[in-house]
Amino acid sequence: MHGFARPSAALFGAAAVTLLCTCGEERPPLASAGRDERSAELADADAARGRRLVSAHGCIACHTMPGVRGPASNVGPPLDGLARRAYLGGTLPNSPANLVRWLLDPPAVNPRTAMPNTGLAPAEAADIAAFLLARP
């Protein structure tokens, strides 16, 4: 008696190809914010001031971002293309309001994060969010 028949290698191969084909699929952010929503949430924010704040607060000590000079660091994730990401800090759906919330107190959002509370004022966090969301 042979018992149960063993699945063929072709079946395993087909399953593997299916999984691989879906892994690289580009998906829009779960909470994508359109240009109008971003403008409303960050109406008083200044992206140029946000760029200066990124340098002044030492964000580049842990993060790399296009257009901001500093040491090559890989402690935190690179911050280019932030507007296209689905989540912020691994837990928050990506929106301008959530980015400001994250920047104000990362450990309050995700206690396991390595990002410290930087002591930003709400206006500073909004400026930095405007700068980061405008980056390609």
Side-chain angles (χ1 to χ4, degrees), residues 1-127:
M1 294 205 137
H2 292 292
F4 293 105
R6 292 177 46 186
S8 70
L11 180 61
F12 284 124
V17 168
T18 301
L19 287 173
L20 288 174
C21 288
T22 59
C23 287
E25 190 176 304
E26 290 249 352
R27 295 182 183 159
L30 297 177
S32 63
R35 197 177 247 324
D36 294 335
E37 180 186 337
R38 188 168 294 127
S39 298
E41 297 242 7
L42 303 175
D44 296 328
D46 182 341
R49 192 170 45 229
R51 184 185 189 292
R52 290 189 299 273
L53 287 166
V54 162
S55 294
H57 282 276
C59 302
I60 56 174
C62 295
H63 301 278
T64 58
M65 57 189 86
V68 179
R69 297 180 80 143
S73 179
N74 292 315
V75 174
L79 297 179
D80 57 325
L82 195 65
R84 294 187 310 267
R85 296 186 190 171
Y87 291 98
L88 303 165
T91 57
L92 285 176
N94 190 355
S95 72
N98 279 342
L99 180 54
V100 170
R101 180 178 165 206
W102 173 259
L103 291 169
L104 286 172
D105 192 359
V109 175
N110 181 357
R112 297 183 59 180
T113 185
M115 186 167 166
N117 182 339
T118 58
L120 292 172
E124 292 175 319
D127 290 342

